[in-house]
Amino acid sequence: MIHSRNRRLRVNESMRSLVRESILTTDDFVMPIFVMEGENKEEAIPSMPGIFRRSIDLTVKECKELFSLGVKAVNLYMKVSDHLKDNTGKEAWNKDGLMQSTIKAIKDAVPAMIVMPDVALDPYSIYGHDGIIENGKVVNDATNDALARMSVSHAEAGADIVAPSDMMDGRVLSIREALEDSGFTDVGILSYSAKYASSFYGPFRSALDSAPKDNMEIPKDKKTYQMDFHNSREALNEVFKDIEEGADIIMIKPGLPYLDIVSKVREAIDLPIAVYNVSGEYAMVKAAAQNGWVDNDKTIIESLTCFKRAGADMIFTYFAKEAAILLNK
């Protein structure tokens, strides 16, 4: 005779919901947003169906709609004009730049929206790298100085949290000290602590034209600073160092292929964990759904719930708006 029958707790939806371990809500989402120059402009991103680059005015309109759906945080990325790019990244801390103007516009229109600007030099670099190039290499400490200036300019514009995604060593400390010295003690740091050199970033780089340029004199990829995808223990090393330097939230990127890292970090730390459901993951689901190979809505909700099950507290996802609509139903 069987005394223990696990199926007793699966007999119907009411019972399943009663014992459910991981609950997905709109409070879990951060929506990445691409911004471009101009007014009343919107450009579709072919590799990311349903995602657009928008001018500031339309970005503000989108943020209002997101907030009404329960999505209370956005992550900002700029499509920078080529004539503004150089090897210093100085446009990144222009007080009247596209990023700074976007932050101000969103906070003026939706004050309660949490605004998290991306902190990295690749959109501003003529080389497409996250740092400054010297003698054919991405240099660390000079890049940190630039990232700190960039972060302070974001705080001055009204950012709630800065999100360094560059993977330079020691940049969290440089940013934390710069924010403290400038009086921005309440501005948080969401650090991309375990960001892997991944093939899943392709559509994102197309959206921003931020891939490393084909130049024999510079690294052809980002493997000298982003993590080797073969490694797991290294992620904990990166996470612990960023916490010591003053990070408030830890990011793991990419998402679905790296749930083991999310789970391992969750067991090791008490800080909030963010995970990035990246552009390649988004594109694969959309392509499969458009071909009728998977159910779009069910796959979205299942995928996002997996992040919560693994231990994430928040999910950066291009599905945020779509998932919010589904959950609100």
Side-chain angles (χ1 to χ4, degrees):
M1 180 181 296
I2 300 174
H3 291 282
S4 178
R5 295 180 183 269
N6 291 342
R7 291 181 58 188
R8 293 181 189 128
L9 301 182
R10 304 174 193 149
V11 292
N12 54 46
E13 176 56 23
S14 294
M15 182 62 75
R16 291 190 295 272
S17 64
L18 188 65
V19 299
R20 191 159 288 153
E21 300 173 25
S22 303
I23 307 298
L24 186 71
T25 77
T26 59
D27 291 334
D28 299 318
F29 301 147
V30 179
M31 180 70 180
I33 289 181
F34 300 115
V35 185
M36 62 186 292
E37 297 280 2
E39 187 174 348
N40 195 33
K41 293 181 68 175
E42 181 178 85
E43 293 179 355
I45 300 170
S47 56
M48 301 175 69
I51 303 300
F52 301 86
R53 288 183 289 264
R54 295 184 175 94
S55 53
I56 293 178
D57 54 331
L58 297 186
T59 297
V60 168
K61 181 179 178 182
E62 180 73 0
C63 287
K64 290 179 178 178
E65 185 173 357
L66 286 166
F67 199 82
S68 72
L69 291 169
V71 179
K72 303 185 180 88
V74 291
N75 177 218
L76 303 181
Y77 299 89
M78 302 297 111
K79 175 67 169 68
V80 180
S81 300
D82 286 344
H83 74 278
L84 296 174
K85 298 181 181 183
D86 63 9
N87 187 36
T88 69
K90 64 180 182 295
E91 179 62 21
W93 53 86
N94 178 0
K95 65 182 180 63
D96 298 315
L98 183 59
M99 176 67 89
Q100 289 76 6
S101 298
T102 302
I103 295 169
K104 292 174 185 175
I106 294 173
K107 294 301 289 186
D108 285 345
V110 196
M113 179 69 86
I114 300 299
V115 177
M116 304 182 189
D118 180 63
V119 176
L121 296 186
D122 50 335
Y124 304 89
S125 169
I126 54 174
Y127 298 113
H129 272 287
D130 291 40
I132 296 169
I133 301 290
E134 292 180 5
N135 300 318
K137 296 181 179 180
V138 178
V139 295
N140 195 94
D141 296 4
T143 296
N144 285 348
D145 293 340
L147 297 174
R149 295 186 67 178
M150 185 179 183
S151 298
V152 170
S153 78
H154 291 174
E156 290 171 343
D160 301 282
I161 295 173
V162 294
S165 62
D166 55 285
M167 289 296 288
M168 298 297 118
D169 293 331
R171 90 278 205 212
V172 172
L173 180 59
S174 294
I175 293 169
R176 183 75 271 160
E177 289 180 343
L179 290 172
E180 295 288 321
D181 290 344
S182 301
F184 295 109
T185 57
D186 291 334
V187 174
I189 299 176
L190 183 148
S191 175
Y192 287 60
S193 298
K195 181 179 181 180
Y196 286 82
S198 173
S199 299
F200 287 89
Y201 303 148
F204 173 93
R205 290 175 179 168
S206 297
L208 290 185
D209 186 27
S210 61
K213 306 308 178 188
D214 188 10
N215 186 323
M216 294 296 291
E217 297 179 356
I218 63 172
K220 64 180 180 179
D221 53 40
K222 302 187 177 186
K223 293 181 179 180
T224 64
Y225 46 98
Q226 293 179 358
M227 284 181 55
D228 184 343
F229 66 82
H230 300 85
N231 295 351
S232 172
R233 295 189 302 272
E234 183 185 6
L236 289 176
N237 185 9
E238 292 281 1
V239 166
F240 292 145
K241 286 181 178 178
D242 284 359
I243 292 173
E244 290 174 5
E245 292 177 15
D248 300 288
I249 304 169
I250 296 301
M251 168 70 85
I252 296 163
K253 182 180 181 181
L256 287 174
Y258 294 80
L259 292 182
D260 62 316
I261 307 301
V262 178
S263 180
K264 180 172 287 191
V265 173
R266 176 74 290 159
E267 292 176 359
I269 71 170
D270 294 323
L271 259 62
I273 294 175
V275 64
Y276 206 130
N277 181 208
V278 300
S279 59
E281 299 167 45
Y282 175 90
M284 289 192 299
V285 170
K286 283 299 180 184
Q290 289 175 353
N291 280 284
W293 297 333
V294 300
D295 181 291
N296 181 78
D297 296 354
K298 292 179 180 178
T299 304
I300 290 172
I301 298 302
E302 180 179 346
S303 298
L304 297 179
T305 302
C306 288
F307 295 123
K308 292 298 296 292
R309 189 189 68 228
D313 298 289
M314 64 193 75
I315 307 164
F316 285 53
T317 178
Y318 302 97
F319 289 121
K321 183 177 181 180
E322 195 172 355
I325 293 170
L326 291 172
L327 291 174
N328 288 334
K329 289 181 180 178

